[in-house]
Amino acid sequence: MDAMKDYPTLGLIVRYGKVGGTVFVLAAAVMALWIALPLGLVPAVLVALLVAFAGGIVVMSYVEIVRLITEMLLPQ
């Protein structure tokens, strides 16, 4: 997309958004396990994993919205 050079942040989100969202979910899950499991906080791990999953869904939906907007509004 030639118009993406005018909007570098949108280009970054369109190009790497799904990978970034996946990394976000995995990093949050690993941090929850790394911190809470040694302390014996199993319920905290479950809540943290659910929150990480919900956050990943929010990030992925944001990426899809940005892709939709860029496809519809920016010239190809």
Side-chain angles (χ1 to χ4, degrees):
M1 285 187 192
D2 191 30
M4 283 299 206
K5 68 180 178 183
D6 295 332
Y7 305 101
T9 305
L10 293 179
L12 188 69
I13 291 170
V14 167
R15 190 172 302 122
Y16 300 112
K18 290 208 181 236
V19 173
T22 304
V23 169
F24 170 75
V25 170
L26 292 176
V30 167
M31 285 176 43
L33 293 172
W34 181 56
I35 293 170
L37 275 183
L39 298 174
L41 302 172
V42 176
V45 171
L46 296 176
V47 170
L49 292 175
L50 286 173
V51 169
F53 181 72
I57 290 173
V58 169
V59 169
M60 294 297 183
S61 66
Y62 178 75
V63 169
E64 291 299 319
I65 290 171
V66 168
R67 283 187 175 174
L68 179 66
I69 290 170
T70 56
E71 287 177 10
M72 290 177 62
L73 297 179
L74 293 178
Q76 301 270 338

